[in-house]
Amino acid sequence: MGMDINTKKLKKNAFRVSKERGIGAARIRVPGGYLDAEILGMVQEISQTYGNGYVHLTTRQGFEIEGIRFEDMEAINKKLQPIIEKLEINQEEPGAGYPASGTRNISACIGNNVCPFANYNTAELAKKIEKKVFPNDLHFKIACTGCSNDCAKARMHDFGIIGMTMPQYDPSRCVSCQACIKGCRSLSVDALRMENYKIVRDTEKCIGCGVCITKCPTRALTRSKKKYYKLAIMGRTGKRNPRLGKDFLVWADEENIIKIILNTYRFVKEYISPNAPGGKEHIGYIIDRVGFEEYKKWALDGVELMPETILNDCIYWDGIHFDNQGK
Amino acid sequence: MGYQLTKTQMDELFRELSETYDLYAPVLMKGEGCFSETDVVRYGKVTSPDEIVWDRKSDYSYKETLLPINETLFYFTEDTASVPQGPKRDRLVFLRSCDLYGVKRLDEIYLKNGFSDYYYARIRERTKFVLMGCGTPCKSGFCVSMGTNRAENYDLYIKPDGELGYADCRCGELEEYFRKAGAVEARVVPDYAEENREQVTLPKKLSNESFTREIWNEYGARCIGCGRCNFVCPTCTCFTMQDVFYRDNEKAGERRRVWASCQVDGYTDIAGGISFRKTQGERFRFKVMHKIYDYEKRFGYPMCVGCGRCDDVCPEYISYSNCINRLAKEEEE
């Protein structure tokens, strides 16, 4: 009797069809790449029981357990259950594994748990967004990165959430040492200068990275109480037209960003090509087809931005086009 | 006179004191640390004991309550100058034993070093000091080694203890507040640090010969010259002058004095483009030698009070206390 397997169902269940017949891989999403070390032991056990003993740390911060046999998928799903529960993944049927794989694992840099540059808890936000969007079969890539260094490569995502802080300056604590100016010049965008021995911030240039704050030796510069984010949209890799995401919102808040992401799911449902292979089409291509103005209408539905948020009304993406030999 | 108070009486005491005095104490500034979601403890105005951070040493010292980071000395126009008024109210500054010894150093420089500094004196005259205990000594301080663990010259000692509070009042002017609050008399002895985790031995044979030691080059290569060690220090007293000409009318302006750091570029710059201590190693050497050698040569006791704040704040993990111990050890060898 031949092997009769519904590969579409299998993929949706977060397994992969490998190049070796009858053999696949089990994919474990870890939102924000942040996990209790106990899970490592569980992954080890599955790999050594059902796989070939090797695990790939995926580019999206999950695990891919190699060399599993398709007939073991059900048993593996049972073994995945404690992992899914520990990671608090939304699930429809306990014991049935991951319910979707279209919307990719939401990745994050290490964030302010550890990194001195990070402006927020990236894993926490990744988990929060995961809760709102998963499970979903649409092909969305979302990443959270702590600052404009963008170690998470958020600009290569449909939604790149980049942490910002609004520098608060108390001139009465400033000693004119210029550590902030030097820091901004060497590590960031050179947005600070001194006038009459006090710091002037060029608000047009400032990207809210927070370097000046980490450099200040007297706490004259501190972080804003409010956390701010830059939302870069429609970055992508891929075969046709890879490109970096562009800033849609600057000095934005978490709630509105989540709203825009959820609105985009509705937009995609409406406009996705009926011929999209596997029901997946990069959102950017859909926007290219229907126009940014139409996308904006959908994305901003019900969104009330804070007065300080900058909305970029027109966005043109460039990137690499191969129809002119990549020039 | 020693007193015991209930929590309600403590609150009442602070309320009454706030009527007459500005109370400055270590306060938790939430989210105002260097890094995201980190706090800083530094001096702020309070009106109740609950606003004060009692269980942790402040990151920045009391110094800014006596010596503002920025202080306008006078405003000038084309032909007149006017001196801004001093503090309008008396103040109580809450601090720990090491810091109270720090006040002695500030007084030495600003009141007794040739002449009395007008600006410092007018704040200092209106200031009384409230000692905070060190029942659980901090991790980085070495006050016992420096002999600064047992300050006696406080005006008031206050210790909250759960539902109770204890005080030892040594200032006649403050006694009435305790009577008003209904405090009962008790024998109260301040909590002093008896022992520190950090112990420091001062080198005894420092001299100009010490300038050429290799150790300075080593620290010089690590130091980034940010000046944090100076700004948190309860004994650093250096300032620089800034003449500010207002941008919309350059015929008017003000002269300020602003905290300066011997580690930061510009400190030894003089006319003609000359700078004396160019390398970070030279600057570090100057600081250490000043704290434990130069000052002592002049005033008879070391400048450093062993609070350990410079060790806590250094982003490059340079330990000044370890440096001193290394200098002492090198002498033995």
Side-chain angles (χ1 to χ4, degrees), chain B residues 131-150:
Chain B
L131 184 70
M132 301 166 77
C134 293
T136 318
C138 63
K139 281 186 184 147
S140 57
F142 44 98
C143 53
V144 178
S145 301
M146 300 310 293
T148 58
N149 56 320
R150 209 172 266 278

Side-chain angles (χ1 to χ4, degrees), chain B residues 18-303:
Chain B
S18 307
E19 291 288 315
T20 314
Y21 299 93
D22 283 337
L23 276 54
Y24 290 96
V27 170
L28 185 83
M29 308 280 182
K30 224 165 163 29
E32 292 190 18
C34 256
F35 308 118
S36 170
E37 287 171 36
T38 59
D39 309 323
V40 67
V41 178
R42 59 174 182 80
Y43 276 71
K45 250 195 218 182
V46 302
T47 54
S48 89
D50 299 335
E51 292 169 71
I52 300 175
V53 176
W54 296 94
D55 58 356
R56 179 179 146 190
K57 180 173 66 191
S58 64
D59 300 309
Y60 290 77
S61 84
Y62 70 91
K63 184 169 69 180
E64 59 197 74
T65 66
L66 292 179
L67 193 65
I69 301 174
N70 279 262
E71 186 167 26
T72 300
L73 302 188
F74 54 83
Y75 297 94
F76 55 83
T77 58
E78 282 171 84
D79 40 32
T80 61
S82 66
V83 175
Q85 283 181 8
K88 293 190 179 57
R89 279 154 58 93
D90 287 352
R91 46 182 70 182
L92 298 180
V93 174
F94 288 68
L95 39 54
R96 294 177 195 276
S97 176
C98 56
D99 282 348
L100 198 42
Y101 277 92
V103 175
K104 182 179 169 187
R105 274 75 173 162
L106 258 62
D107 286 352
E108 193 81 73
I109 296 296
Y110 280 99
L111 300 177
K112 300 174 192 159
N113 190 20
F115 60 92
S116 164
D117 178 85
Y118 169 79
Y119 297 93
Y120 179 81
R122 68 184 187 175
I123 296 181
R124 180 68 176 85
E125 279 161 8
R126 304 199 72 159
T127 307
K128 295 186 197 306
F129 297 102
V130 185
L131 184 70
M132 301 166 77
C134 293
T136 318
C138 63
K139 281 186 184 147
S140 57
F142 44 98
C143 53
V144 178
S145 301
M146 300 310 293
T148 58
N149 56 320
R150 209 172 266 278
E152 304 283 355
N153 56 332
Y154 53 85
D155 295 291
L156 185 60
Y157 165 77
I158 288 189
K159 174 193 177 176
D161 190 5
E163 286 307 300
L164 293 174
Y166 297 94
D168 182 33
C169 185
R170 296 193 170 182
C171 166
E173 210 179 303
L174 295 173
E175 291 282 0
E176 61 165 312
Y177 292 91
F178 288 89
R179 279 194 295 276
K180 256 198 248 172
V184 290
E185 287 181 19
R187 208 184 93 82
V188 174
V189 181
D191 292 336
Y192 290 118
E194 304 288 349
E195 219 177 346
N196 299 130
R197 209 177 63 164
E198 290 294 331
Q199 279 158 27
V200 163
T201 311
L202 295 185
K204 291 279 172 289
K205 298 174 212 150
L206 290 179
S207 70
N208 288 2
E209 307 289 300
S210 318
F211 280 24
T212 52
R213 289 197 184 179
E214 184 49 36
I215 195 170
W216 309 123
N217 294 332
E218 182 204 317
Y219 284 112
R222 291 167 60 192
C223 175
I224 57 167
C226 68
R228 280 171 171 80
C229 49
N230 298 124
F231 299 133
V232 300
C233 178
T235 71
C236 274
T237 52
C238 285
F239 61 80
T240 186
M241 286 295 191
Q242 295 177 351
D243 283 350
V244 176
F245 301 87
Y246 299 144
R247 289 179 64 79
D248 44 359
N249 178 6
E250 299 208 331
K251 290 174 180 166
E254 66 188 80
R255 171 167 292 182
R256 287 186 206 131
R257 73 175 176 200
V258 179
W259 285 7
S261 156
C262 53
Q263 306 305 297
V264 170
D265 288 346
Y267 182 82
T268 61
D269 289 359
I270 60 164
I274 296 163
S275 185
F276 293 104
R277 288 184 289 274
K278 291 191 182 70
T279 68
Q280 228 43 69
E282 290 169 312
R283 295 173 189 179
F284 185 79
R285 180 209 72 218
F286 170 78
K287 180 188 74 181
V288 174
M289 294 281 282
H290 193 68
K291 294 288 175 200
I292 58 170
Y293 174 67
D294 298 313
Y295 181 99
E296 183 167 4
K297 222 164 51 175
R298 188 143 152 208
F299 299 108
Y301 57 92
M303 185 178 183

Side-chain angles (χ1 to χ4, degrees), chain A residues 132-143:
Chain A
K132 304 262 184 182
V133 302
F134 191 80
N136 203 302
D137 296 326
L138 293 175
H139 189 256
F140 274 54
K141 283 182 178 162
I142 304 167

